[in-house]
Amino acid sequence: LTLKGHTSSVRSVAFSPDGQRIVTGSGDKTAKVWEAGSGATLLTLKGHRDAISSVAFSPDGQRIVTGSTDKTAQVWDAASGKELHRLTGHRDGIWSVAYSPDGQRIVTGSFDETAKVWEAASGRELLTLKGHSSWVLGVAFSPNGQRIVTGSDDNTAKVWEAATGRELLTLKAHS
């Protein structure tokens, strides 16, 4: 099955938790939601001013978060495609996004060398994770939601306490 419809490179992909839908984020500034079985386009999410670099479904499949090089992330209703929140606060493009396992928080990683934690329901910024010396290219929550891991162009990964933003560990084995 080939999903065709974007007019630029597809930079990020994710399955919905039930496996019935796929979201794709593209250099064409849009995200698309597809029916996984047939490849039919269900929604086109428009609102970013630059390329979408990262996409994720919420754990319940009801929301999608998109991160963009326009310095914002957007939260969308996965059924209607309506924009629910625009997450603003990064000083440079966002390269990675992820939901917490309970769906209550979102983490974003940016070229501004930080990661930010947001309240998913309101879009309110909760924490800024500072400590990397280059772009934050990857972000993820631990399965229990108590820790966040960030990966950076500075050749390190860092583990953070999700509730406080306190740095717990730096992984430096990459050179």
Side-chain angles (χ1 to χ4, degrees):
L1 187 62
T2 301
L3 306 177
K4 293 182 181 178
H6 285 293
T7 59
S8 185
S9 61
V10 175
R11 299 179 178 200
S12 185
V13 296
F15 271 101
S16 61
D18 65 6
Q20 298 301 304
R21 294 166 293 157
I22 295 168
V23 62
T24 56
S26 172
D28 67 11
K29 307 176 192 176
T30 71
K32 290 185 179 286
V33 180
W34 313 79
E35 201 283 321
S38 70
T41 305
L42 301 174
L43 297 168
T44 299
L45 309 178
K46 295 180 181 178
H48 282 292
R49 295 180 314 280
D50 208 343
I52 294 176
S53 49
S54 188
V55 296
F57 272 97
S58 61
D60 64 7
Q62 294 182 18
R63 304 282 182 264
I64 293 167
V65 63
T66 55
S68 171
T69 52
D70 70 6
K71 306 179 191 176
T72 72
Q74 291 179 234
V75 180
W76 310 84
D77 181 288
S80 69
K82 179 181 183 225
E83 180 187 328
L84 302 174
H85 305 292
R86 184 178 300 258
L87 312 181
T88 60
H90 280 292
R91 293 176 287 110
D92 207 339
I94 293 172
W95 195 252
S96 186
V97 298
Y99 269 95
S100 61
D102 64 5
Q104 299 300 305
R105 292 164 294 159
I106 294 166
V107 62
T108 55
S110 171
F111 292 149
D112 69 7
E113 303 178 4
T114 71
K116 290 183 181 287
V117 181
W118 312 82
E119 185 177 71
S122 69
R124 184 171 61 94
E125 183 180 327
L126 301 174
L127 297 168
T128 299
L129 309 179
K130 296 181 183 176
H132 285 292
S133 61
S134 191
W135 306 334
V136 177
L137 301 173
V139 294
F141 277 91
S142 63
N144 65 8
Q146 294 179 4
R147 291 175 290 158
I148 293 168
V149 63
T150 56
S152 172
D153 190 57
D154 67 9
N155 302 335
T156 70
K158 291 182 181 285
V159 180
W160 313 80
E161 191 173 80
T164 65
R166 183 170 64 95
E167 185 181 325
L168 301 173
L169 188 64
T170 299
L171 309 174
K172 299 180 182 177
H174 297 279
S175 58

